[in-house]
Amino acid sequence: MGQPTPDRDDDWWRSAVIYQVYVRSFADGDGDGTGDLTGVRAALPYLAELGVDALWFNPWYLSPMKDGGYDVADYRAIDPAFGTLAEAEKLIAEARELGIRTIVDIVPNHVSDQHPWFRAALAGGPERDLFHFRPGRGEHGERPPNDWRSEFGGPAWTRLPDGDWYLHLFAPEQPDLNWAHPAVRREHEDILRFWFERGVAGVRVDSAALPAKDPRLPDFVAGRDPHPYVDRDELHDIYRGWRAVADEYGAVFVGEVWLPDTERFARYLRPDELHTAFNFSFMACPWDAARLRASIDDTLAEHAPVGAPATWVLCNHDVTRTVTRYGRADTGFDFATKTFGTPTDLALGTRRARAAALLSLALPGTVYLYQGEELGLPEADIPLDRIEDPMHARSGGTDPGRDGCRVPLPWTADAPHAGFGGEPWLPQPAGWASYAADRQARDPGSTLTLYREAIRLRPVFGDGPLTWLPAPDGVLAFARADGGALCVVNLADTPAALPARSAPLLASGPLDPDGRLPKDTAVWLRA
C-alpha cells in the first residue's frame, strides 16, 4: 500500500476494454451457490486470455443485499458472502500482475439502513443531520414531506415510529445521504483513499447525477429548472474534490450519468471532474443504421469539447441482455422500465449481438463488457417466486426486475450447475450449459472466440478519430485516421459488397459465396 505503482501508460483508460464483474453471479469458489472472490481469482487466467485491461466490480462491500449490494453498510469491509478484505487485496494484486487493473463501485447517493450512521440517526443521535429527515404533511404528519417518487416505484419517503419521514430515492433500505453536510464529503474522500491505497485503479460512480438535493425539498414540478434532485450544480464541486484525491494516485473515474441534455452531461467530464461517463444512448439504440450512426456522432461530438474519451457499452447488470434485446421486433429502450420490446428470436439476436460487438470494439474510446456477453448469453426468465430484485416488488409485479441478466455464468458444460459452483442463488435456465466457457473456448466459431480475437486485434484500428466511409443505405462503414483497418456493418436487408482491395481480418459471421457481407453481420478489413 502507499504510493501507486507507475503504469506503463497513464492514459490506459482512454482506450481500454473493461470487464464488468457482478461477483454474486460470476463464479462460486466455495460451493455455497453465491459467487465470490475465490471464484474470481480462479478465473483470472480466463480474463487475461480474453484480453481485458481492467475489471469493474459491482459493490462487494458489507451489505444486507436488499438491492444487490447497492445498499452498503461498510465500505471498508468485504461482505462475508464474497470473502474478506485480505482476499480482495490479493485479487487486486494478482490481477495487476496479469496486466489487469481493478475498478470498484462507489454509491454516493445513499447507504444501507444498517450503516452505523443511519442506526445512530434512528437512535436520535447527531447523525440524523447526515440524512434527510422531515416531518410529514397533513394534520397529523400522515403524508410524505413532498411528492417525490422512488426509482423503484412508490413514494420516496418512509415514516418512522417517531412520526418523522426519511428520504430514499431507491428502496426504503437505502436512505439518501445529505451531501450538504461536510462529514458526508469527508467520509467519501476517505473511502476513495482507502481503496486507492490498496491498489485500485479507478472508481465507478453509481447514480452520479443524484446525490445533491434542493435543501427545500420542494414538490416535483415537470420542467422546473433546476431539478430538485437530478444534475444539480452543487455536484460539480463534490466531484472536483474527488478528482483531487484521484489525482494523488493516478486513479480514474467513470460516472453513471443518465442525462438527455448533452451539454449538461459533458460538464461532468471537464478536466477537473470525472474522467469518463457511461454512454447510454448507444446502448439504448435499436438495431438501425441511421440511429446508431447518429448516436455515435452525437456521442463523439459531446465528448470533444472537454477532451474526454467516449465509452461504449451494449449491456450491464441493469438492462436486458444484448442477444435478447436485438432479437426483439422492437429493440428500442424504455428508460422508465429499463426494458426492451418483445418477442425474441435468439438466432437473430445472436447474429446482431456478434455484429454489435465488432462495431463497439472498433469505435474510438473505452468499451465496457458485461460478464457473459462474451458467451452470447440471452436474458433468462426467472420464476416469479425466485425474483429478488426489489424493482419487481416495488412495482407491484409489473416490472420484471433485473435478475434476468444476473443469472450465474456457465463455465463447464458437463459439471453440475454448468460449473458455476454450488446450486446458484438464481436458477440457471435449461440448456444454460450449452453456453459454457469451456465448450466455447474449443469452438473457433463461438462468441467467446470472436470476442477474444476482436480484443486481440483491436489495436489495428489505431487511436485516431473516426472517419465515415461511403456506404449504401443501412450499412455503416468507417476507418480510424491513423489505423490500418476499417469496420463495415450491414444492417440492411440485402448483402453488401465490400470495399475493393480490402482483406478481411475478422467477421462476426461468414461472408456469402460472392464475398459479400450478409445482413446483420460485421467485418473488420485491413485497409
Side-chain angles (χ1 to χ4, degrees):
M1 289 183 274
Q3 292 301 311
T5 302
D7 284 323
R8 66 179 186 277
D9 180 5
D10 290 339
D11 289 336
W12 65 271
W13 49 276
R14 288 185 167 271
S15 59
V17 177
I18 300 174
Y19 188 94
Q20 180 186 354
V21 179
Y22 192 79
V23 178
R24 195 178 183 189
S25 298
F26 185 72
D28 172 18
D30 62 10
D32 66 355
T34 296
D36 49 40
L37 301 189
T38 299
V40 178
R41 291 174 65 197
L44 285 175
Y46 166 87
L47 295 165
E49 187 172 1
L50 183 58
V52 299
D53 299 293
L55 306 178
W56 156 35
F57 289 89
N58 290 104
W60 56 13
Y61 315 107
L62 183 67
S63 169
M65 298 293 169
K66 298 298 184 181
D67 180 26
Y70 282 87
D71 48 323
V72 179
D74 186 348
Y75 273 108
R76 297 174 180 84
I78 299 296
D79 195 274
F82 301 146
T84 65
L85 179 59
E87 191 166 17
E89 293 172 344
K90 289 179 181 178
L91 170 55
I92 294 166
E94 290 167 357
R96 194 66 188 90
E97 289 174 0
L98 293 172
I100 302 173
R101 298 167 178 83
T102 298
I103 295 172
V104 297
D105 220 312
I106 298 293
V107 190
N109 183 70
H110 51 261
V111 292
S112 166
D113 62 354
Q114 300 304 304
H115 190 283
W117 278 2
F118 194 70
R119 293 168 70 91
L122 293 182
E127 291 82 359
R128 211 170 178 89
D129 293 338
L130 305 177
F131 301 90
H132 298 280
F133 286 89
R134 295 290 189 278
R137 297 189 291 191
E139 183 179 356
H140 304 290
E142 69 278 8
R143 293 189 291 114
N146 66 29
D147 64 356
W148 296 1
R149 305 292 290 176
S150 164
E151 295 289 315
F152 289 167
W157 295 89
T158 290
R159 195 178 193 187
L160 296 169
D162 65 8
D164 270 357
W165 298 71
Y166 69 88
L167 177 67
H168 52 85
L169 289 181
F170 293 87
E173 296 86 0
Q174 296 168 291
D176 281 32
L177 290 164
N178 175 15
W179 274 89
H181 198 294
V184 174
R185 294 188 60 163
R186 286 195 302 268
E187 169 67 359
H188 281 75
E189 291 177 6
D190 286 347
I191 290 168
L192 294 176
R193 288 191 175 90
F194 179 89
W195 286 105
F196 292 153
E197 288 285 336
R198 281 155 180 79
V200 163
V203 166
R204 181 261 191 183
V205 186
D206 180 73
S207 299
L210 295 184
K213 313 294 191 295
D214 185 329
R216 300 170 299 161
L217 300 180
D219 280 344
F220 176 77
V221 177
R224 174 183 286 170
D225 187 24
H227 195 286
Y229 61 83
V230 175
D231 183 36
R232 294 187 61 80
D233 287 342
E234 302 95 298
L235 284 169
H236 298 288
D237 187 54
I238 293 169
Y239 293 136
R240 289 188 188 98
W242 285 29
R243 179 63 177 260
V245 175
D247 285 349
E248 296 175 25
Y249 297 87
V252 300
F253 293 113
V254 55
E256 183 191 29
V257 184
W258 296 74
L259 292 177
D261 185 321
T262 58
E263 190 275 332
R264 298 287 301 185
F265 171 85
R267 293 185 184 188
Y268 290 84
L269 303 178
R270 289 176 288 195
D272 60 346
E273 295 191 41
L274 305 180
H275 299 75
T276 61
F278 285 125
N279 166 28
F280 293 113
S281 69
F282 181 75
M283 180 184 69
C285 260
W287 188 247
D288 177 87
R291 293 179 66 175
L292 281 168
R293 177 166 174 166
S295 174
I296 292 167
D297 285 340
D298 289 348
T299 297
L300 296 175
E302 70 190 20
H303 284 74
V306 288
T311 65
W312 311 100
V313 59
L314 294 172
C315 181
N316 63 32
H317 64 294
D318 284 335
V319 300
T320 305
R321 281 198 178 272
T322 311
V323 164
T324 297
R325 138 174 140 244
Y326 280 154
R328 289 175 173 170
D330 172 17
T331 57
F333 187 68
D334 183 342
F335 278 90
T337 63
K338 295 187 172 62
T339 58
F340 299 81
T342 56
T344 297
D345 177 341
L346 290 184
L348 173 65
T350 298
R351 288 199 307 274
R352 290 175 170 178
R354 288 168 60 92
L358 293 195
L359 169 61
S360 62
L361 285 164
L363 294 170
T366 306
V367 174
Y368 281 80
L369 171 59
Y370 178 50
Q371 66 181 40
E373 288 290 289
E374 80 279 13
L375 302 178
L377 295 181
E379 187 83 354
D381 290 326
I382 308 298
L384 292 180
D385 62 347
R386 295 294 301 275
I387 294 176
E388 296 200 10
D389 186 359
M391 289 185 71
H392 177 70
R394 293 276 293 178
S395 70
T398 60
D399 190 314
R402 300 160 294 178
D403 288 344
C405 64
R406 301 176 179 183
V407 173
L409 299 188
W411 289 97
T412 308
D414 297 330
H417 313 301
F420 171 71
E423 182 176 353
W425 68 280
L426 281 176
Q428 296 171 318
W432 208 237
S434 65
Y435 296 97
D438 70 328
R439 180 174 293 176
Q440 293 202 37
R442 299 189 297 268
D443 179 0
S446 71
T447 300
L448 175 58
T449 299
L450 177 72
Y451 266 99
R452 285 177 172 175
E453 281 298 294
I455 294 171
R456 181 182 68 83
L457 290 170
R458 188 170 181 245
V460 76
F461 281 94
D463 294 325
L466 180 149
T467 301
W468 292 107
L469 304 175
D473 289 345
V475 177
L476 300 176
F478 61 88
R480 304 273 292 281
D482 64 350
L486 50 118
C487 178
V488 182
V489 189
N490 185 8
L491 295 88
D493 291 331
T494 57
L498 295 176
R501 298 184 300 279
S502 60
L505 289 169
L506 182 64
S508 64
L511 303 182
D512 76 4
D514 296 322
R516 297 175 302 176
L517 189 65
K519 63 179 296 187
D520 300 323
T521 309
V523 65
W524 289 357
L525 303 165
R526 190 173 297 282

